[in-house]
Amino acid sequence: MIGRAGRPQFDQSATAVIMTRNQTKAKYEALVNGTQIIESSLHKNLIEHLNAEIVLHTINDVTVALEWIRSTFLYIRVQKNPRHYNIPPGLSREDMDSKLQDMCIKDLNLLSRIDLVKMDEEGYDLKPTEVGRLMARYCITYDTMNKFSGLEGTESLSDLVSIIAGCKEFQDVTLRINERKTLNTLNKDKHRATIRFAMDGKIKTGPMKVNCLIQAALGCLPIQDFGLNQDTNKIFRAGTRVSKCLTEFLMHRAGFRVLLNATILAKSFRARLW
């Protein structure tokens, strides 16, 4: 909005006023002055990137993984500001590399634990699995794949909707106070059509909101709120690939019932209809 301040055809200059809390004042001053230092966020999603590189055969052992990290912006920033990445300052280059290697081994063990990669005890032979390829192809987070691996094989359609609604892909969908009345009406109301699988109690969390919007869209229920319609479109963009990944993931597992329900749900997401 600051970039659009003023009227180009009439004004030569414009004034933008940033109003914020005292706690974030320094942050915006640094942004305005161009002095804010940019940090890497690769460490927050390192496990997903490692899996993708293993699938591409860029990484085939721990030594190569460390070489790959050395080529990233993360490696540059770790040397400049190790505290930001929970690494003690003052370490030698060898100790720094050892810390990063430990970080890699920890994530590789997590990938191996749920059969996303095949790894020997020393970590010198890394191979992708079919499930790991699914994770990379559909850009699914590790937390979501871990959730899928915990399925028992007897989940109903309602259970799968709840599981998908709680996936990390939707963590940025937050519940706003002014939306609760609309969502609660969609969930339970004696005088109008409601969602297919009503949830107990009031809508009070983000995953419950996602669940309600998925079912409302699939049931063709009218949503008058513009913000909720935007959230629904965002949910379906991610939900289509998550549900498709779930279906293909379950093809490698035992349990016909859950596979049938996952297939129905994936088709519903694609058609936006039950």
Side-chain angles (χ1 to χ4, degrees):
M1 290 177 69
I2 289 175
R4 294 296 300 275
R7 298 170 296 170
Q9 68 270 37
F10 301 114
D11 302 329
Q12 298 298 318
S13 63
T15 301
V17 179
I18 301 174
M19 303 179 72
T20 186
R21 299 182 179 89
N22 283 329
Q23 303 95 292
T24 54
K25 181 182 176 183
K27 172 187 172 183
Y28 285 102
E29 285 178 339
L31 278 171
V32 170
N33 297 327
T35 57
Q36 186 183 34
I37 297 172
I38 298 172
E39 296 291 352
S40 172
S41 59
L42 178 61
H43 62 297
K44 297 176 183 176
N45 307 289
L46 182 61
I47 192 165
E48 287 85 8
H49 287 276
L50 282 172
N51 178 69
E53 297 299 333
I54 291 168
V55 168
L56 292 170
H57 299 288
T58 307
I59 294 174
N60 50 30
D61 63 49
V62 173
T63 307
V64 177
L66 185 58
E67 287 295 323
W68 174 76
I69 282 190
R70 286 198 188 109
S71 68
T72 64
F73 182 56
L74 171 65
Y75 188 70
I76 295 170
R77 290 309 308 162
V78 161
Q79 295 178 82
K80 299 281 187 180
N81 185 15
R83 289 185 191 275
H84 183 79
Y85 305 95
N86 295 321
I87 294 177
L91 295 179
S92 65
R93 179 165 179 169
E94 290 74 19
D95 290 337
M96 187 78 73
D97 286 354
S98 177
K99 287 284 184 184
L100 290 171
Q101 184 168 321
D102 291 343
M103 193 187 301
C104 283
I105 291 172
K106 176 189 170 186
D107 284 348
L108 289 171
N109 284 327
L110 289 174
L111 288 169
S112 178
R113 186 171 62 84
I114 59 172
D115 200 34
L116 293 170
V117 299
K118 294 288 185 186
M119 180 175 70
D120 61 11
E121 292 183 4
E122 289 80 21
Y124 291 114
D125 187 22
L126 298 171
K127 293 179 181 177
T129 65
E130 285 302 318
V131 177
R133 289 188 180 96
L134 286 177
M135 176 180 170
R137 186 188 312 150
Y138 292 107
C139 301
I140 305 298
T141 63
Y142 171 80
D143 290 343
T144 297
M145 296 303 292
N146 191 31
K147 193 186 290 280
F148 290 171
S149 68
L151 294 175
E152 297 177 358
T154 58
E155 285 77 8
S156 64
L157 189 57
S158 172
D159 294 332
L160 292 182
V161 174
S162 298
I163 288 166
I164 284 185
C167 289
K168 194 175 180 181
E169 281 74 9
F170 307 112
Q171 67 177 0
D172 59 335
V173 179
T174 56
L175 177 63
R176 306 176 190 94
I177 295 174
N178 63 318
E179 297 170 342
R180 292 185 179 182
K181 184 178 178 181
T182 303
L183 291 168
N184 284 320
T185 302
L186 289 169
N187 185 39
K188 289 179 183 177
D189 194 315
K190 294 179 180 178
H191 307 292
R192 65 184 73 184
T194 57
I195 60 176
R196 183 175 176 181
F197 306 113
M199 290 169 279
D200 296 332
K202 301 285 187 181
I203 305 294
K204 51 185 178 289
T205 64
M208 290 181 79
K209 171 185 173 178
V210 173
N211 189 327
C212 186
L213 290 178
I214 288 171
Q215 294 196 61
L218 295 180
C220 298
L221 301 179
I223 302 173
Q224 306 299 335
D225 188 282
F226 177 73
L228 288 177
N229 277 311
Q230 283 191 314
D231 286 338
T232 302
N233 291 331
K234 184 194 300 183
I235 289 165
F236 269 78
R237 280 195 296 272
T240 301
R241 61 183 170 83
V242 172
S243 60
K244 193 169 181 182
C245 178
L246 174 60
T247 302
E248 294 190 30
F249 170 82
L250 291 171
M251 289 177 184
H252 301 279
R253 301 280 297 274
F256 174 76
R257 181 186 175 188
V258 69
L259 175 57
L260 175 63
N261 288 326
T263 304
I264 292 170
L265 185 57
K267 282 187 172 185
S268 298
F269 262 103
R270 192 165 63 249
R272 292 190 74 148
L273 188 70
W274 281 120

